[in-house]
Structure formats: C-alpha cells, structure tokens
Amino acid sequence: TSPSQSYVVYRRFFPGGSLKSKMSESECKIKLQKLKHMQDTEIIHLAEAMGARAEELYYQESYDTAETWFRRVVRAKKLVNWYKPHQTLWASLQVAKCVRFRGPYKEAQKLQQGLHSTIERIFSADHDVSVQSMELGAVLLGQLGFVAEEEAIRRQVLQIRLVTLGVRHPETISALENLGAALEPLERHGEAQQLLEASLHFRLEPVKNSGDSLTDQRDILWDVAALAQALNSNRRYDESENLLDWTHNLLSDVTRQRGWNCFEYHYERARTYWFQKRFENSEKILRGL
C-alpha cells in the first residue's frame, strides 16, 4: 500500500452527523416518549439522528453521555429490527466500549461476550465490526489481569489487519501498537520496544515522505508513551526522556489537551524522571495529573 494513501480513520455508521448530531437532549426525550406511536420511518429517522449524536460524543471522548445516546439507539432499533441490523450490533458494541471507559470492566466484558457470538454469525471474521469486538475483548482481558490471553487475541487482530488492510493502514498500525503494549505486562520489553518503534515509524512515514500534516496526533502521543514505557523497562531512561522531549517539540499543542492519550504521555514522563531520581520533577507532574 502506498504510504501517501489517505485513510478514513473514524468510522461513521450513522452518516450525516454534522446535521443530525444537532439534536438536543430535550428534543430527544420528547420523541422517545412517543416512540411506540411512531411510524417505522419516523423511528428510523430518530435512530439515525441519535446515532449521529452518539458518534459525535464518542469521538469527543464524552463516553458517559455517548453511552446514554447509544442505548437510546438500541432501544429505538428494537422496534424496527429489520432495519440495518449491522448498525444495531455496532451501536450495542459501542455501549460496551463506553462502559469499559467508565471503569466496570466485568460489566463491559459481559456485554461484549454476549454480543460477540451474534457479531460472528452476522459478519465475517475479518469484518471491521468483528475485529472491533475482538479488540474490545482483548483490552478487557488485559485490564482484568489475563495478559497472556490478551496477547493471543492481539496477535490474531494484527494478522487480520495485515492481510485485509496492509501494513501501513492506521488500523494495522494501531494493532501493532496494541500488541507491543500488551507485551509490557509480560515483561517482554525488548519485543515490545521493537513493535512500538515500528508502529511509530509507520505513523511518521507519510510526513517524512510527502510533508503531509499529522492526522493522528493523539495516536502518536499514545505510541510515544508506550514506547517510553518500554525504554524505561529496559533501563534506557535517557532515551525515554529524549523521545518525550522530541515529541513535545513536535506536538506541543497536543500535549496540553485533555484526554487519556495526553495523560499517558505525561504520566510516563513522570516515571522517567522518577527512574532518573529527579523526584521533584516527577512529583510536580504527578500532582498536576
């Protein structure tokens, strides 16, 4: 695949979000109260509008609110279950993702496991929704302490992405990053470092080759944080600091944003300072976080 090829990174199962996502909370509640008295076409329009709003909130990392809107979509779609069943499954999977971001991992895992067999019946194993479900299952296993099981699924996901999308697709690069990060708890730091260095190389390659602007800045920030962690695990503290400094010069605006990517970046800088015995510097960052 050409490194200059552009990709759609964010999936849209509810098209036309720029207009439909303007639906207000009060307007939505009023319509939901009339749900059982609506015609099928009205329910479909409402579901599409709520889905567009839910997607918008999800990509803004407003997971609590996004969960509420995705649940509304699923509720409405039950009355028109013949309409785009793949869309209903995807919205249900998004609910599980939002629950995971709230923190109750076992609840999220129960939702994901209940959905996955249905998703596998509807979609092929290499379909994007199936792979998303696998990825969610993997991250939940890791967060519940089953790191070896997480690694096995991460390898499956990477293989699927390599075959179906090619090595330079953003989803393949994310799979490479996720596998690298999953090796850290298994104390396979050298292998993790190699994978994370490769993924960072692929993320930066379009910029080096064509001078394009960075479109996945937050993903780069997370990749850097994971790579810095691997370097720290290998006791290469100065290299970790150099990497973090280089990233700050490249993405200084992004490092000041709110979000879990930025949190991980600053947290790893605090750890780097701690390993270097620069405790005051570390403490200052940790208090800020």
Side-chain angles (χ1 to χ4, degrees):
T1 307
S2 167
S4 61
Q5 182 175 344
S6 60
Y7 300 102
V8 177
V9 178
Y10 295 126
R11 313 164 186 85
R12 293 289 184 184
F13 271 65
F14 298 90
S18 60
L19 295 175
K20 293 178 182 176
S21 62
K22 301 300 182 184
M23 174 178 281
S24 67
E25 178 76 17
S26 57
E27 182 185 0
C28 180
K29 286 182 176 179
I30 291 169
K31 290 190 175 183
L32 284 172
Q33 290 173 355
K34 303 175 183 178
L35 196 60
K36 292 183 179 180
H37 306 288
M38 288 183 178
Q39 300 293 322
D40 283 1
T41 52
E42 294 177 297
I43 296 172
I44 289 168
H45 287 310
L46 176 61
E48 292 281 355
M50 292 190 301
R53 179 66 178 140
E55 283 186 330
E56 203 71 30
L57 290 163
Y58 184 87
Y59 292 128
Q60 292 170 3
E61 299 184 4
S62 301
Y63 300 116
D64 285 6
T65 315
E67 180 188 340
T68 299
W69 284 84
F70 277 122
R71 286 185 183 276
R72 290 168 176 169
V73 172
V74 175
R75 174 185 165 190
K77 292 292 291 290
K78 284 180 179 178
L79 299 178
V80 285
N81 54 19
W82 53 268
Y83 177 74
K84 293 185 179 180
H86 66 282
Q87 195 183 57
T88 310
L89 281 173
W90 186 80
S92 301
L93 186 62
Q94 293 301 102
V95 170
K97 288 183 180 181
C98 291
V99 171
R100 173 236 161 177
F101 279 114
R102 282 200 288 109
Y105 301 138
K106 286 188 177 180
E107 180 186 343
Q109 186 184 51
K110 185 177 180 180
L111 288 170
Q112 185 271 335
Q113 290 176 337
L115 281 168
H116 191 68
S117 58
T118 306
I119 287 172
E120 284 187 318
R121 286 201 307 271
I122 300 295
F123 302 103
S124 61
D126 61 356
H127 190 280
D128 188 49
V129 175
S130 298
V131 179
Q132 282 190 64
S133 180
M134 290 175 65
E135 288 176 331
L136 178 59
V139 72
L140 288 168
L141 283 168
Q143 288 172 324
L144 290 168
F146 301 98
V147 290
E149 291 82 353
E150 178 190 9
E151 182 207 351
I153 297 176
R154 295 290 191 195
R155 289 194 181 277
Q156 292 178 41
V157 169
L158 178 58
Q159 185 63 33
I160 291 170
R161 294 303 198 190
L162 284 168
V163 171
T164 58
L165 301 176
V167 71
R168 288 179 171 83
H169 193 281
E171 296 296 344
T172 308
I173 299 170
S174 292
L176 197 63
E177 289 169 348
N178 290 332
L179 176 56
L183 295 175
E184 271 295 301
L186 295 167
E187 298 187 359
R188 290 155 62 183
H189 309 305
E191 189 179 351
Q193 181 183 327
Q194 289 179 341
L195 293 172
L196 292 164
E197 284 176 344
S199 61
L200 184 58
H201 166 79
F202 286 128
R203 286 210 183 275
L204 296 173
E205 192 177 46
V207 183
K208 293 178 180 177
N209 290 346
S210 60
D212 292 345
S213 59
L214 291 168
T215 57
D216 49 1
Q217 295 178 344
R218 290 192 175 190
D219 292 326
I220 290 173
L221 208 60
W222 183 83
D223 194 334
V224 165
L227 179 53
Q229 182 182 5
L231 289 168
N232 284 330
S233 298
N234 282 326
R235 300 183 179 182
R236 296 165 68 174
Y237 311 133
D238 291 343
E239 288 182 51
S240 176
E241 183 184 8
N242 290 338
L243 173 66
L244 294 165
D245 288 344
W246 172 83
T247 306
H248 177 75
N249 292 332
L250 181 69
L251 303 172
S252 59
D253 290 341
V254 184
T255 62
R256 291 193 288 269
Q257 296 177 3
R258 291 184 179 273
W260 65 269
N261 313 64
C262 301
F263 182 96
E264 293 291 339
Y265 166 83
H266 290 293
Y267 180 70
E268 206 53 46
R269 183 179 285 278
R271 290 183 74 244
T272 302
Y273 287 152
W274 188 87
F275 285 124
Q276 293 172 327
K277 302 190 185 305
R278 296 160 64 184
F279 300 120
E280 289 186 7
N281 300 79
S282 180
E283 179 187 353
K284 182 178 180 181
I285 294 172
L286 291 170
R287 287 188 180 280
L289 291 175

